[in-house]
Amino acid sequence: MDKGLHFTVCVVTAVLLLRESSQAGEEKHPEVLAAPKPDSRGAGEGLPTLTVTTILEDPYVMVRGAELEGYCMELLGALAGMLRFQYRVRVVADGQYGAVAAGGNWTGMIGEILRREADIAVAPLTVTSAREEVVSFTTPFLQTGIGILLRKDTASQDMSFFHFLSPFSKETWTALLFAYLLTCFCLFLVARLSPCEWNEPKNEENHFTFLNSLWFGAGALALQGATPRPQALSVRVIAVVWWLFTLALLAAYIANFTALLSSGSEQLPIQTFEDLVKQRNLEFGTLEGSSTFYYFKNSKNPIHQMIYEYMEKRREHVLVKTYQEAVQRVMDSNYAFIGESISQDLAAARHCNLIRAPEVIGARGFGIATTQASPWTKPLSIAVLKLRESGDLDYLRNKWWESSCLRRSRERWGPLEPPALGGLFLTLGIGLALGILAALAELSSSSRRAAAHAKKSCCSVFTEEICTRLRIKGTARQSQETSGKANA
């Protein structure tokens, strides 16, 4: 009895140990058998089964419980539904994308395709000439390039002393100054022409001198009332248009300046790869054995060669094994990661203290890898094109790249140029023209009444009025004094 009990305990213990070891192996290399759901007639029976190799990278392929999910998993499901096949997904054993090893053999997903361990590779696998020589690729399902991922506080620099001028470009500030001077001159001119503002030029003193007009315009810019107050309709038209112009202009300035301060992108000293090479505060690197590394290795560009030499000399310190390690290193240290721009956009969307530099080089695409002469290459390419034409790829892109950061990057923000405020300046110009026309109409009406009373030509009286009202104050006084002396 004791021997039987002891034997039973041993058997149960062995079974439990084997079950734990199998579960640990599944966690290390998760496999999911997925197939289109068969309908009531058993349409899923007899479909071909493909072995799919992939790599764990957020948001393309991620482990959630006992299953895999992500952009590539949804793409694979859509392709299986269109082409009617079942599939078994396995994570690549060595965790590599695919590069030529020292012995000439390929590693990663490319190596598994060549060794017939997998039929296709659905992953963020970049299409390169070296890979195209040994495997076949479908039409790219995602377009990307090479960018620089930075942490905001390591990439920022001190604001300039005149940082408050950044919301508008130099051309906009110049146009604003010209509009201010032109408006003040029009106020001065219309106030002198209008008889409602200045009834008797020979006996009165006009309040809208040029200096007073400048003060009136500056007061409107500061949203403060300034004297003198306009009385004529023509002067009031120009004043109202200038007030509306300044309100809209101040609203645009405040909104753009607030966005500038909150985004922090304007202070990026590293805009290009040349800036990255010249600085000495940040280390930089890329994924070991990735297509990005070999892009810089094969490039003839001097800047790219400097980047490759830097990474090659310090490969033990600057090259990373996984994308997750790269993002974490950027967040924790003075490190800049060079990699796929589309993946960096995702990191910047999920980690609000990260930002991607504006420059992107080496346009490329992610494709599905198959064995050479595979019968699945062309059907998969056609299916990818159909998904792109139907908008399904854009839907998946927006779904898995959704941002949780409320910020504006430099690609969407910049100093306001004059064309952006063209309608505002046009409105101001029309208002100034209407004010001048109204002043001429007022003066013409007054001249007609004076001509009828004096029985003179309307044109002569109109000309005399203009000459009298535009005469300089000092000259008018001297002429009055001279005429007084002659009468004496």
Side-chain angles (χ1 to χ4, degrees), residues 442-472:
E442 292 170 350
L443 183 59
S444 176
S445 177
S446 176
S447 298
R448 283 197 300 268
R449 290 194 301 267
H453 183 268
K455 296 182 180 181
K456 293 182 179 180
S457 171
C458 181
C459 293
S460 61
V461 174
F462 183 76
T463 305
E464 290 176 2
E465 285 288 336
I466 291 181
C467 294
T468 302
R469 294 176 183 277
L470 296 182
R471 186 178 300 141
I472 299 175

Side-chain angles (χ1 to χ4, degrees), residues 48-331:
T49 301
L50 300 181
T51 301
V52 181
T53 179
T54 188
I55 191 169
L56 295 179
E57 181 175 331
D58 188 12
Y60 302 98
V61 180
M62 300 172 289
V63 179
R64 291 293 183 268
E67 296 182 352
L68 298 176
E69 69 173 17
Y71 177 93
C72 289
M73 291 298 98
E74 291 199 21
L75 173 63
L76 182 58
L79 295 174
M82 296 175 65
L83 301 179
R84 309 300 298 167
F85 65 84
Q86 301 180 90
Y87 56 87
R88 177 182 291 106
V89 181
R90 53 173 295 178
V91 177
V92 60
D94 59 3
Q96 300 293 321
Y97 289 86
V100 181
N105 297 323
W106 281 83
T107 62
M109 291 178 284
I110 302 297
E112 292 188 353
I113 295 285
L114 293 176
R115 294 190 297 269
R116 306 286 178 173
E117 298 175 4
D119 298 307
I120 61 175
V122 182
L125 191 61
T126 306
V127 180
T128 64
S129 59
R131 292 171 179 172
E132 190 73 55
E133 291 179 354
V134 294
V135 298
S136 296
F137 280 97
T138 65
T139 301
F141 57 86
L142 269 180
Q143 298 294 333
T144 182
I146 300 177
I148 308 171
L149 185 65
L150 308 160
R151 197 171 74 248
K152 285 184 178 180
D153 55 352
T154 59
S156 63
Q157 65 180 4
D158 295 333
M159 294 184 181
S160 63
F161 189 72
F162 295 99
H163 187 67
F164 67 93
L165 299 176
S166 299
F168 292 158
S169 65
K170 295 179 181 179
E171 293 80 7
T172 303
W173 284 114
T174 303
L176 175 58
L177 179 60
F178 178 77
Y180 166 70
L181 294 176
L182 179 62
T183 303
C184 294
F185 176 75
C186 289
L187 278 173
F188 166 73
L189 177 64
V190 169
R192 281 185 167 267
L193 291 177
S194 175
C196 300
E197 194 71 42
W198 196 17
N199 292 324
E200 300 181 9
K202 295 181 180 180
N203 301 325
E204 295 183 22
E205 181 179 350
N206 190 280
H207 297 293
F208 270 97
T209 62
F210 188 68
L211 290 179
N212 286 345
S213 299
L214 291 175
W215 178 248
F216 184 88
L221 280 174
L223 299 180
Q224 300 293 325
T227 56
R229 299 182 183 276
Q231 298 178 3
L233 176 63
S234 55
V235 182
R236 290 180 178 180
V237 168
I238 295 180
V240 168
V241 172
W242 178 245
W243 288 336
L244 293 177
F245 176 83
T246 55
L247 282 175
L249 192 73
L250 289 174
Y253 176 85
I254 293 173
N256 221 32
F257 192 53
T258 303
L260 184 154
L261 294 178
S262 61
S263 67
S265 59
E266 178 68 13
Q267 297 83 44
L268 276 182
I270 300 177
Q271 303 283 341
T272 64
F273 284 87
E274 184 177 358
D275 297 334
L276 184 64
V277 172
K278 290 180 179 179
Q279 59 82 38
R280 294 294 180 267
N281 297 326
L282 298 177
E283 293 183 322
F284 53 88
T286 185
L287 290 174
E288 184 177 4
S290 64
S291 60
T292 301
F293 179 81
Y294 289 99
Y295 172 85
F296 288 100
K297 180 180 180 179
N298 300 324
S299 176
K300 303 301 181 182
N301 188 304
I303 300 298
H304 299 171
Q305 279 296 308
M306 294 173 64
I307 293 176
Y308 167 72
E309 293 173 1
Y310 175 89
M311 294 190 297
E312 180 65 26
K313 292 179 181 179
R314 301 169 176 81
R315 61 181 307 132
E316 298 297 330
H317 302 285
V318 300
L319 297 184
V320 293
K321 301 294 184 182
T322 64
Y323 176 77
Q324 290 78 10
E325 179 186 350
V327 174
Q328 193 63 40
R329 186 168 177 181
V330 173
M331 297 176 63

Side-chain angles (χ1 to χ4, degrees), residues 293-448:
F293 179 81
Y294 289 99
Y295 172 85
F296 288 100
K297 180 180 180 179
N298 300 324
S299 176
K300 303 301 181 182
N301 188 304
I303 300 298
H304 299 171
Q305 279 296 308
M306 294 173 64
I307 293 176
Y308 167 72
E309 293 173 1
Y310 175 89
M311 294 190 297
E312 180 65 26
K313 292 179 181 179
R314 301 169 176 81
R315 61 181 307 132
E316 298 297 330
H317 302 285
V318 300
L319 297 184
V320 293
K321 301 294 184 182
T322 64
Y323 176 77
Q324 290 78 10
E325 179 186 350
V327 174
Q328 193 63 40
R329 186 168 177 181
V330 173
M331 297 176 63
D332 296 339
S333 62
N334 292 337
Y335 181 78
F337 173 61
I338 302 175
E340 302 293 345
S341 61
I342 193 170
S343 300
Q344 294 175 349
D345 290 338
L346 175 71
R350 296 189 175 181
H351 304 281
C352 299
N353 61 333
L354 300 182
I355 190 171
R356 179 175 62 81
E359 185 181 31
V360 176
I361 61 174
R364 55 183 63 190
F366 292 154
I368 299 174
T370 65
T371 57
Q372 289 186 335
S374 171
W376 292 99
T377 306
K378 187 172 182 179
L380 286 172
S381 294
I382 296 175
V384 168
L385 289 175
K386 289 182 178 179
L387 291 175
R388 179 181 299 169
E389 293 170 354
S390 63
D392 290 341
L393 292 184
D394 293 333
Y395 167 76
L396 292 179
R397 172 71 164 79
N398 296 332
K399 175 182 177 180
W400 292 101
W401 270 259
E402 183 179 3
S403 175
S404 60
C405 300
L406 298 177
R407 63 178 181 85
R408 300 173 64 191
S409 66
R410 183 170 174 81
E411 296 173 346
R412 293 173 293 174
W413 181 92
L416 287 180
E417 299 290 340
L421 301 173
L424 196 58
F425 283 98
L426 178 61
T427 302
L428 178 63
I430 293 175
L432 296 180
L434 289 177
I436 294 176
L437 291 177
L440 293 176
E442 292 170 350
L443 183 59
S444 176
S445 177
S446 176
S447 298
R448 283 197 300 268

